[in-house]
Amino acid sequence: MAKKKRKKKKSINWSVRFLWIFFWITILLLFAYYFRLEIKSALSTFSTKIERLGEANRKPDIRYKNLELPLPLEDRAEQIIKHEGYTVSYNKNWRLPNWVAYELIRDELRGTVSRTDKFVVDPYVNGVSATNADYRRSGFDRGHMAPAADMTWSETAMKESFYFSNMCPQNPGLNRGAWKDLEESIRKWVKKDSAIAIVCGPLVDKRDTTIGQNEVKIPHAFFKVIVSPYVTTPRGIGFVFKNEKE
């Protein structure tokens, strides 16, 4: 009988040990699960902080939409017309643009559309416009503000570049000389910098005379502002040309 009692006691001891082992394994598993959740949460929080830190240190995107467009004018007549290749601020009193603005990108220089040389009235202009008759025998060229050579990427853009809203009376020496040279230089800069924003137009005052029946103002000078905003260090330059042979 004593021997049987000892066996029963031994069996009971193993049962207790098994229960204790099972208990501690369960506790360890619970702790492991708890700490796994805590670690996962901590990693998630850390990742979020890193992302926010990266956003805080990230340089702002300088590719602003319509970067080349000037602010609205309040001291003169202005009608904003957006064409495919450029935007014009048209002055119905001068029969000229106040300014013409556009962005030229490298891919657009690969265009193959031919020059049309068909000068026509801009159908979107409200009010009087210059015509071919105004320039005839005036001694002035129909000088492009946004050049046709920059619009070879689109037939529509090429056609619209010959609207009179994009023209000004220019001295032939300027139009075919320094003004043209600058246009060619800009295309070279675009190839290097990938994109350039341009705004240009006439400088007009009350003393300036007119040509033609529609009394188209003859600017005494022209301006052109060029900005290269997408390079590491953005840069720009401005020019003023007298409306005479350079």
Side-chain angles (χ1 to χ4, degrees):
M1 293 294 292
K3 192 174 182 180
K4 288 182 180 179
K5 285 181 181 180
R6 281 197 298 271
K7 285 184 178 180
K8 188 174 183 180
K9 186 176 181 180
K10 188 175 181 180
S11 177
I12 292 172
N13 288 339
W14 275 108
S15 297
V16 172
R17 288 179 183 177
F18 176 79
L19 288 173
W20 274 107
I21 291 170
F22 179 79
F23 172 78
W24 285 112
I25 289 174
T26 303
I27 293 297
L28 289 172
L29 289 173
L30 288 173
F31 269 101
Y33 180 75
Y34 173 79
F35 281 112
R36 179 174 175 272
L37 292 178
E38 287 296 306
I39 291 170
K40 186 176 181 181
S41 176
L43 288 174
S44 177
T45 302
F46 180 75
S47 297
T48 301
K49 288 181 178 179
I50 290 296
E51 289 174 2
R52 289 176 180 173
L53 181 62
E55 290 174 357
N57 292 330
R58 191 176 298 138
K59 292 182 179 180
D61 186 3
I62 61 173
R63 290 168 171 78
Y64 298 116
K65 186 178 180 181
N66 298 326
L67 173 68
E68 72 279 8
L69 299 184
L71 294 173
L73 299 173
E74 298 180 355
D75 62 341
R76 67 196 69 178
E78 180 178 51
Q79 178 193 355
I80 301 297
I81 306 172
K82 293 186 177 181
H83 292 305
E84 183 164 323
Y86 65 93
T87 299
V88 57
S89 165
Y90 184 72
N91 189 320
K92 64 181 180 180
N93 297 329
W94 296 349
R95 287 56 155 157
L96 301 176
N98 292 307
W99 51 258
V100 171
Y102 65 104
E103 184 181 55
L104 186 62
I105 63 176
R106 186 185 295 145
D107 287 347
E108 291 172 344
L109 297 178
R110 301 189 180 102
T112 58
V113 177
S114 299
R115 182 184 173 102
T116 65
D117 284 319
K118 187 177 180 180
F119 295 85
V120 295
V121 172
D122 187 334
Y124 297 99
V125 161
N126 296 327
V128 181
S129 170
T131 66
N132 283 304
D134 293 313
Y135 283 85
R136 193 171 296 122
R137 292 186 293 276
S138 68
F140 289 92
D141 283 355
R142 294 162 293 189
H144 283 75
M145 296 296 98
D150 290 353
M151 305 296 163
T152 59
W153 51 275
S154 162
E155 290 185 0
T156 299
M158 177 62 74
K159 174 186 174 182
E160 292 175 342
S161 75
F162 284 89
Y163 285 164
F164 277 105
S165 59
N166 185 41
M167 303 295 154
C168 290
Q170 272 190 331
N171 184 290
L174 173 62
N175 184 41
R176 306 169 199 181
W179 192 256
K180 181 181 179 182
D181 292 342
L182 180 56
E183 291 172 345
E184 292 175 350
S185 294
I186 289 171
R187 286 188 280 275
K188 292 178 182 177
W189 297 339
V190 170
K191 290 179 181 178
K192 181 180 178 182
D193 291 357
S194 80
I196 284 180
I198 303 120
V199 58
C200 60
L203 296 176
V204 177
D205 61 32
K206 294 180 180 179
R207 296 170 295 177
D208 292 330
T209 57
T210 62
I211 59 170
Q213 186 175 356
N214 289 315
E215 298 182 334
V216 182
K217 277 284 188 180
I218 304 172
H220 62 272
F222 293 91
F223 71 90
K224 182 166 286 192
V225 177
I226 304 152
V227 178
S228 182
Y230 307 138
V231 292
T232 303
T233 303
R235 52 182 174 264
I237 190 170
F239 298 87
V240 173
F241 297 90
K242 291 183 179 180
N243 194 12
E244 57 189 36
K245 185 175 181 179
E246 292 290 322

